[in-house]
Short mmCIF file of all heavy atoms in Angstrom, two decimals:
data_model
loop_
_atom_site.label_atom_id
_atom_site.label_comp_id
_atom_site.label_asym_id
_atom_site.label_seq_id
_atom_site.Cartn_x
_atom_site.Cartn_y
_atom_site.Cartn_z
N PHE A 1 0.87 -1.18 0.00
CA PHE A 1 0.00 0.00 0.00
C PHE A 1 0.90 1.23 0.00
O PHE A 1 1.90 1.27 0.71
CB PHE A 1 -0.89 0.03 1.25
CG PHE A 1 -1.78 -1.18 1.38
CD1 PHE A 1 -1.41 -2.24 2.19
CD2 PHE A 1 -2.96 -1.25 0.68
CE1 PHE A 1 -2.21 -3.35 2.32
CE2 PHE A 1 -3.78 -2.37 0.80
CZ PHE A 1 -3.40 -3.42 1.62
N GLN A 2 0.55 2.21 -0.80
CA GLN A 2 1.31 3.46 -0.81
C GLN A 2 0.48 4.48 -0.05
O GLN A 2 -0.59 4.89 -0.49
CB GLN A 2 1.56 3.94 -2.24
CG GLN A 2 2.29 5.25 -2.29
CD GLN A 2 3.53 5.20 -3.15
OE1 GLN A 2 3.65 4.38 -4.02
NE2 GLN A 2 4.46 6.09 -2.87
N THR A 3 0.96 4.87 1.13
CA THR A 3 0.19 5.78 1.98
C THR A 3 0.54 7.24 1.73
O THR A 3 -0.29 8.12 2.01
CB THR A 3 0.41 5.44 3.47
OG1 THR A 3 1.81 5.45 3.74
CG2 THR A 3 -0.16 4.07 3.79
N ASP A 4 1.75 7.52 1.24
CA ASP A 4 2.16 8.90 0.90
C ASP A 4 2.96 8.87 -0.38
O ASP A 4 3.74 7.94 -0.62
CB ASP A 4 3.04 9.51 2.00
CG ASP A 4 2.24 10.01 3.19
OD1 ASP A 4 1.09 10.44 2.99
OD2 ASP A 4 2.78 9.98 4.31
N GLY A 5 2.81 9.92 -1.18
CA GLY A 5 3.60 10.07 -2.38
C GLY A 5 3.08 9.23 -3.53
O GLY A 5 1.97 8.71 -3.51
N LYS A 6 3.93 9.13 -4.55
CA LYS A 6 3.56 8.37 -5.75
C LYS A 6 4.80 7.67 -6.27
O LYS A 6 5.86 8.28 -6.40
CB LYS A 6 2.99 9.31 -6.81
CG LYS A 6 2.45 8.61 -8.02
CD LYS A 6 1.79 9.59 -8.97
CE LYS A 6 1.26 8.84 -10.17
NZ LYS A 6 0.69 9.72 -11.15
N GLY A 7 4.67 6.37 -6.55
CA GLY A 7 5.80 5.61 -7.06
C GLY A 7 5.36 4.26 -7.56
O GLY A 7 4.16 3.95 -7.62
N GLU A 8 6.36 3.45 -7.93
CA GLU A 8 6.10 2.13 -8.50
C GLU A 8 6.98 1.12 -7.78
O GLU A 8 8.15 1.38 -7.52
CB GLU A 8 6.45 2.18 -9.99
CG GLU A 8 6.38 0.85 -10.69
CD GLU A 8 6.84 0.98 -12.14
OE1 GLU A 8 6.00 1.34 -12.98
OE2 GLU A 8 8.04 0.76 -12.40
N LEU A 9 6.40 -0.04 -7.47
CA LEU A 9 7.15 -1.11 -6.82
C LEU A 9 7.16 -2.32 -7.75
O LEU A 9 6.11 -2.70 -8.28
CB LEU A 9 6.51 -1.48 -5.47
CG LEU A 9 7.29 -2.46 -4.61
CD1 LEU A 9 8.61 -1.83 -4.13
CD2 LEU A 9 6.47 -2.90 -3.41
N ARG A 10 8.35 -2.89 -7.94
CA ARG A 10 8.44 -4.09 -8.77
C ARG A 10 9.35 -5.11 -8.11
O ARG A 10 10.21 -4.77 -7.30
CB ARG A 10 8.90 -3.76 -10.19
CG ARG A 10 10.26 -3.21 -10.31
CD ARG A 10 10.59 -2.86 -11.78
NE ARG A 10 11.74 -1.99 -11.83
CZ ARG A 10 13.00 -2.38 -11.79
NH1 ARG A 10 13.27 -3.66 -11.70
NH2 ARG A 10 13.98 -1.51 -11.83
N LEU A 11 9.12 -6.37 -8.45
CA LEU A 11 9.94 -7.47 -7.97
C LEU A 11 11.17 -7.64 -8.85
O LEU A 11 11.20 -7.13 -9.98
CB LEU A 11 9.13 -8.77 -7.96
CG LEU A 11 8.09 -8.90 -6.87
CD1 LEU A 11 7.13 -10.04 -7.16
CD2 LEU A 11 8.77 -9.12 -5.53
N ASP A 12 12.15 -8.38 -8.36
CA ASP A 12 13.37 -8.59 -9.12
C ASP A 12 13.16 -9.40 -10.40
O ASP A 12 14.02 -9.43 -11.26
CB ASP A 12 14.47 -9.21 -8.26
CG ASP A 12 14.04 -10.48 -7.57
OD1 ASP A 12 12.94 -10.99 -7.82
OD2 ASP A 12 14.83 -10.99 -6.74
N ASP A 13 12.01 -10.05 -10.54
CA ASP A 13 11.72 -10.77 -11.79
C ASP A 13 11.04 -9.86 -12.83
O ASP A 13 10.65 -10.32 -13.89
CB ASP A 13 10.87 -12.01 -11.52
CG ASP A 13 9.49 -11.71 -10.97
OD1 ASP A 13 9.12 -10.52 -10.85
OD2 ASP A 13 8.76 -12.67 -10.66
N GLY A 14 10.90 -8.56 -12.51
CA GLY A 14 10.34 -7.60 -13.45
C GLY A 14 8.86 -7.30 -13.27
O GLY A 14 8.34 -6.38 -13.88
N ARG A 15 8.18 -8.10 -12.45
CA ARG A 15 6.74 -7.85 -12.25
C ARG A 15 6.52 -6.53 -11.53
O ARG A 15 7.07 -6.29 -10.46
CB ARG A 15 6.10 -8.96 -11.41
CG ARG A 15 5.89 -10.25 -12.12
CD ARG A 15 5.13 -11.24 -11.25
NE ARG A 15 6.02 -11.68 -10.17
CZ ARG A 15 5.62 -12.42 -9.14
NH1 ARG A 15 4.36 -12.79 -9.03
NH2 ARG A 15 6.48 -12.79 -8.22
N VAL A 16 5.69 -5.67 -12.13
CA VAL A 16 5.30 -4.42 -11.49
C VAL A 16 4.08 -4.72 -10.64
O VAL A 16 3.10 -5.30 -11.12
CB VAL A 16 4.98 -3.33 -12.54
CG1 VAL A 16 4.48 -2.07 -11.86
CG2 VAL A 16 6.22 -3.03 -13.38
N LEU A 17 4.14 -4.34 -9.37
CA LEU A 17 3.05 -4.62 -8.44
C LEU A 17 2.07 -3.46 -8.41
O LEU A 17 2.49 -2.30 -8.34
CB LEU A 17 3.60 -4.87 -7.03
CG LEU A 17 4.68 -5.94 -6.91
CD1 LEU A 17 5.13 -6.05 -5.46
CD2 LEU A 17 4.20 -7.27 -7.43
N SER A 18 0.80 -3.76 -8.46
CA SER A 18 -0.23 -2.74 -8.30
C SER A 18 -0.58 -2.66 -6.82
O SER A 18 -0.68 -3.71 -6.15
CB SER A 18 -1.48 -3.10 -9.09
OG SER A 18 -1.22 -3.06 -10.47
N PRO A 19 -0.78 -1.45 -6.30
CA PRO A 19 -1.13 -1.33 -4.88
C PRO A 19 -2.38 -2.15 -4.56
O PRO A 19 -3.32 -2.21 -5.36
CB PRO A 19 -1.38 0.16 -4.69
CG PRO A 19 -0.65 0.82 -5.81
CD PRO A 19 -0.70 -0.15 -6.96
N ASN A 20 -2.37 -2.77 -3.41
CA ASN A 20 -3.50 -3.51 -2.85
C ASN A 20 -3.74 -4.87 -3.49
O ASN A 20 -4.61 -5.61 -3.04
CB ASN A 20 -4.80 -2.70 -2.88
CG ASN A 20 -4.65 -1.35 -2.24
OD1 ASN A 20 -3.83 -1.16 -1.36
ND2 ASN A 20 -5.44 -0.40 -2.69
N ASP A 21 -3.02 -5.23 -4.55
CA ASP A 21 -3.21 -6.54 -5.18
C ASP A 21 -2.25 -7.55 -4.56
O ASP A 21 -1.15 -7.21 -4.12
CB ASP A 21 -2.96 -6.47 -6.69
CG ASP A 21 -4.09 -5.76 -7.43
OD1 ASP A 21 -5.13 -5.49 -6.81
OD2 ASP A 21 -3.91 -5.48 -8.63
N LEU A 22 -2.67 -8.81 -4.54
CA LEU A 22 -1.91 -9.89 -3.93
C LEU A 22 -1.19 -10.68 -5.02
O LEU A 22 -1.82 -11.10 -6.00
CB LEU A 22 -2.86 -10.80 -3.15
CG LEU A 22 -2.27 -11.78 -2.15
CD1 LEU A 22 -1.54 -11.04 -1.05
CD2 LEU A 22 -3.37 -12.63 -1.55
N TYR A 23 0.13 -10.89 -4.85
CA TYR A 23 0.94 -11.60 -5.83
C TYR A 23 1.67 -12.75 -5.16
O TYR A 23 2.17 -12.59 -4.05
CB TYR A 23 1.99 -10.66 -6.44
CG TYR A 23 1.39 -9.52 -7.21
CD1 TYR A 23 1.07 -8.32 -6.57
CD2 TYR A 23 1.13 -9.62 -8.56
CE1 TYR A 23 0.52 -7.26 -7.26
CE2 TYR A 23 0.57 -8.56 -9.27
CZ TYR A 23 0.27 -7.39 -8.62
OH TYR A 23 -0.28 -6.35 -9.31
N PRO A 24 1.80 -13.90 -5.83
CA PRO A 24 2.56 -15.01 -5.23
C PRO A 24 4.05 -14.69 -5.22
O PRO A 24 4.57 -14.09 -6.16
CB PRO A 24 2.26 -16.19 -6.16
CG PRO A 24 1.76 -15.61 -7.43
CD PRO A 24 1.19 -14.27 -7.11
N LEU A 25 4.71 -15.07 -4.15
CA LEU A 25 6.17 -14.95 -4.05
C LEU A 25 6.76 -16.30 -4.47
O LEU A 25 6.35 -17.34 -3.95
CB LEU A 25 6.60 -14.64 -2.62
CG LEU A 25 6.74 -13.19 -2.25
CD1 LEU A 25 7.13 -13.06 -0.78
CD2 LEU A 25 7.71 -12.46 -3.12
N LYS A 26 7.70 -16.26 -5.37
CA LYS A 26 8.28 -17.50 -5.88
C LYS A 26 9.57 -17.88 -5.17
O LYS A 26 10.03 -19.00 -5.26
CB LYS A 26 8.54 -17.36 -7.38
CG LYS A 26 7.26 -17.11 -8.16
CD LYS A 26 7.53 -16.84 -9.61
CE LYS A 26 6.21 -16.53 -10.32
NZ LYS A 26 6.41 -16.04 -11.67
N LYS A 27 10.18 -16.91 -4.45
CA LYS A 27 11.45 -17.15 -3.77
C LYS A 27 11.38 -16.62 -2.34
O LYS A 27 10.59 -15.73 -2.05
CB LYS A 27 12.59 -16.43 -4.49
CG LYS A 27 12.75 -16.80 -5.94
CD LYS A 27 13.93 -16.08 -6.58
CE LYS A 27 13.60 -14.65 -6.89
NZ LYS A 27 14.64 -13.93 -7.61
N GLU A 28 12.23 -17.15 -1.48
CA GLU A 28 12.31 -16.66 -0.10
C GLU A 28 13.30 -15.52 0.04
O GLU A 28 13.24 -14.77 1.00
CB GLU A 28 12.67 -17.82 0.84
CG GLU A 28 11.57 -18.85 0.94
CD GLU A 28 11.92 -19.99 1.85
OE1 GLU A 28 12.90 -19.89 2.63
OE2 GLU A 28 11.23 -21.02 1.78
N THR A 29 14.23 -15.40 -0.89
CA THR A 29 15.17 -14.29 -0.93
C THR A 29 14.92 -13.56 -2.24
O THR A 29 14.98 -14.18 -3.31
CB THR A 29 16.63 -14.78 -0.86
OG1 THR A 29 16.79 -15.51 0.37
CG2 THR A 29 17.61 -13.63 -0.88
N PHE A 30 14.61 -12.29 -2.14
CA PHE A 30 14.22 -11.54 -3.33
C PHE A 30 14.55 -10.07 -3.13
O PHE A 30 14.89 -9.63 -2.03
CB PHE A 30 12.73 -11.73 -3.65
CG PHE A 30 11.82 -11.33 -2.52
CD1 PHE A 30 11.25 -10.07 -2.49
CD2 PHE A 30 11.53 -12.22 -1.48
CE1 PHE A 30 10.42 -9.69 -1.44
CE2 PHE A 30 10.70 -11.86 -0.44
CZ PHE A 30 10.14 -10.59 -0.42
N ARG A 31 14.40 -9.30 -4.20
CA ARG A 31 14.63 -7.86 -4.14
C ARG A 31 13.41 -7.13 -4.67
O ARG A 31 12.74 -7.60 -5.59
CB ARG A 31 15.86 -7.48 -4.97
CG ARG A 31 17.12 -8.05 -4.39
CD ARG A 31 18.32 -7.75 -5.23
NE ARG A 31 19.45 -8.51 -4.70
CZ ARG A 31 20.70 -8.21 -4.91
NH1 ARG A 31 21.02 -7.17 -5.66
NH2 ARG A 31 21.65 -8.93 -4.40
N LEU A 32 13.15 -6.01 -4.05
CA LEU A 32 12.10 -5.09 -4.50
C LEU A 32 12.78 -3.82 -4.99
O LEU A 32 13.82 -3.43 -4.44
CB LEU A 32 11.14 -4.75 -3.36
CG LEU A 32 10.35 -5.90 -2.76
CD1 LEU A 32 9.64 -5.44 -1.49
CD2 LEU A 32 9.34 -6.42 -3.77
N TYR A 33 12.19 -3.19 -5.98
CA TYR A 33 12.72 -1.93 -6.48
C TYR A 33 11.59 -0.90 -6.47
O TYR A 33 10.57 -1.10 -7.12
CB TYR A 33 13.28 -2.10 -7.90
CG TYR A 33 14.45 -3.05 -7.93
CD1 TYR A 33 14.28 -4.40 -8.20
CD2 TYR A 33 15.73 -2.60 -7.64
CE1 TYR A 33 15.35 -5.27 -8.21
CE2 TYR A 33 16.81 -3.47 -7.64
CZ TYR A 33 16.61 -4.80 -7.93
OH TYR A 33 17.67 -5.67 -7.92
N TYR A 34 11.79 0.15 -5.70
CA TYR A 34 10.81 1.23 -5.64
C TYR A 34 11.34 2.39 -6.47
O TYR A 34 12.46 2.86 -6.27
CB TYR A 34 10.59 1.69 -4.19
CG TYR A 34 9.63 2.85 -4.13
CD1 TYR A 34 8.26 2.63 -4.20
CD2 TYR A 34 10.10 4.15 -4.05
CE1 TYR A 34 7.37 3.69 -4.19
CE2 TYR A 34 9.22 5.21 -4.03
CZ TYR A 34 7.86 4.98 -4.11
OH TYR A 34 6.99 6.03 -4.11
N THR A 35 10.51 2.86 -7.43
CA THR A 35 10.87 3.99 -8.27
C THR A 35 9.98 5.16 -7.91
O THR A 35 8.74 5.04 -7.93
CB THR A 35 10.71 3.64 -9.77
OG1 THR A 35 11.51 2.49 -10.05
CG2 THR A 35 11.15 4.80 -10.65
N SER A 36 10.61 6.29 -7.61
CA SER A 36 9.89 7.50 -7.21
C SER A 36 9.26 8.18 -8.43
O SER A 36 9.90 8.31 -9.48
CB SER A 36 10.86 8.47 -6.54
OG SER A 36 10.25 9.72 -6.35
N HIS A 37 8.01 8.61 -8.28
CA HIS A 37 7.32 9.35 -9.34
C HIS A 37 6.84 10.71 -8.84
O HIS A 37 5.92 11.28 -9.42
CB HIS A 37 6.13 8.56 -9.87
CG HIS A 37 6.51 7.33 -10.65
ND1 HIS A 37 7.51 7.31 -11.59
CD2 HIS A 37 6.03 6.07 -10.61
CE1 HIS A 37 7.62 6.10 -12.10
NE2 HIS A 37 6.74 5.32 -11.52
N CYS A 38 7.46 11.23 -7.77
CA CYS A 38 7.06 12.54 -7.26
C CYS A 38 8.19 13.15 -6.45
O CYS A 38 9.21 12.51 -6.22
CB CYS A 38 5.78 12.44 -6.43
SG CYS A 38 5.99 11.64 -4.84
N THR A 39 7.99 14.39 -6.04
CA THR A 39 9.01 15.07 -5.24
C THR A 39 8.59 15.19 -3.77
O THR A 39 9.26 15.87 -3.00
CB THR A 39 9.28 16.48 -5.81
OG1 THR A 39 8.06 17.22 -5.82
CG2 THR A 39 9.87 16.40 -7.21
N ASP A 40 7.51 14.54 -3.40
CA ASP A 40 7.02 14.57 -2.02
C ASP A 40 7.62 13.41 -1.23
O ASP A 40 8.27 12.53 -1.78
CB ASP A 40 5.49 14.45 -2.00
CG ASP A 40 4.80 15.56 -2.75
OD1 ASP A 40 5.32 16.70 -2.74
OD2 ASP A 40 3.75 15.30 -3.36
N GLN A 41 7.33 13.40 0.07
CA GLN A 41 7.67 12.25 0.89
C GLN A 41 6.89 11.05 0.37
O GLN A 41 5.74 11.18 -0.04
CB GLN A 41 7.32 12.49 2.36
CG GLN A 41 7.57 11.28 3.22
CD GLN A 41 7.21 11.48 4.68
OE1 GLN A 41 7.03 12.59 5.14
NE2 GLN A 41 7.12 10.38 5.39
N GLN A 42 7.52 9.88 0.41
CA GLN A 42 6.88 8.66 -0.08
C GLN A 42 6.96 7.58 0.98
O GLN A 42 8.01 7.39 1.58
CB GLN A 42 7.56 8.20 -1.36
CG GLN A 42 7.37 9.25 -2.47
CD GLN A 42 8.48 9.22 -3.48
OE1 GLN A 42 8.51 8.33 -4.28
NE2 GLN A 42 9.38 10.20 -3.42
N VAL A 43 5.83 6.91 1.21
CA VAL A 43 5.76 5.87 2.23
C VAL A 43 5.01 4.68 1.62
O VAL A 43 3.94 4.84 1.04
CB VAL A 43 5.02 6.36 3.49
CG1 VAL A 43 4.92 5.24 4.52
CG2 VAL A 43 5.71 7.57 4.09
N ILE A 44 5.59 3.49 1.79
CA ILE A 44 4.90 2.26 1.38
C ILE A 44 4.92 1.28 2.55
O ILE A 44 5.86 1.26 3.34
CB ILE A 44 5.50 1.62 0.11
CG1 ILE A 44 6.94 1.19 0.34
CG2 ILE A 44 5.37 2.53 -1.09
CD1 ILE A 44 7.52 0.32 -0.78
N ASP A 45 3.88 0.49 2.64
CA ASP A 45 3.79 -0.61 3.59
C ASP A 45 3.76 -1.90 2.78
O ASP A 45 2.88 -2.07 1.93
CB ASP A 45 2.53 -0.51 4.45
CG ASP A 45 2.52 0.73 5.32
OD1 ASP A 45 3.59 1.09 5.85
OD2 ASP A 45 1.45 1.34 5.47
N VAL A 46 4.72 -2.80 3.03
CA VAL A 46 4.81 -4.07 2.32
C VAL A 46 4.32 -5.17 3.26
O VAL A 46 4.75 -5.23 4.42
CB VAL A 46 6.26 -4.35 1.86
CG1 VAL A 46 6.38 -5.74 1.25
CG2 VAL A 46 6.72 -3.28 0.89
N TYR A 47 3.43 -6.01 2.76
CA TYR A 47 2.86 -7.10 3.54
C TYR A 47 3.21 -8.43 2.87
O TYR A 47 3.01 -8.59 1.66
CB TYR A 47 1.33 -6.99 3.61
CG TYR A 47 0.86 -5.77 4.36
CD1 TYR A 47 0.72 -4.54 3.72
CD2 TYR A 47 0.55 -5.84 5.70
CE1 TYR A 47 0.30 -3.42 4.40
CE2 TYR A 47 0.12 -4.72 6.40
CZ TYR A 47 0.00 -3.52 5.74
OH TYR A 47 -0.41 -2.41 6.43
#
């Protein structure tokens, strides 16, 4: 969930995650990449 700001979150396999949608995790060790799309403070909660 993105509570402040605007940005994009994607998994290391290239999947772009949409806020509030549930995606299967294929690995126990992984990387997330958050890309900023604004100049404000940005806050995300990952579940």
Side-chain angles (χ1 to χ4, degrees):
F1 301 98
Q2 178 126 23
T3 55
D4 281 329
K6 186 175 180 184
E8 174 184 275
L9 188 66
R10 64 182 163 83
L11 286 166
D12 54 6
D13 64 4
R15 285 185 289 172
V16 176
L17 306 179
S18 294
N20 307 332
D21 287 350
L22 195 62
Y23 297 89
L25 268 179
K26 299 174 183 171
K27 303 182 283 186
E28 293 179 14
T29 300
F30 57 96
R31 295 177 188 201
L32 297 170
Y33 297 94
Y34 177 80
T35 304
S36 170
H37 291 315
C38 71
T39 58
D40 300 326
Q41 176 181 345
Q42 296 153 75
V43 178
I44 62 170
D45 296 321
V46 174
Y47 295 86

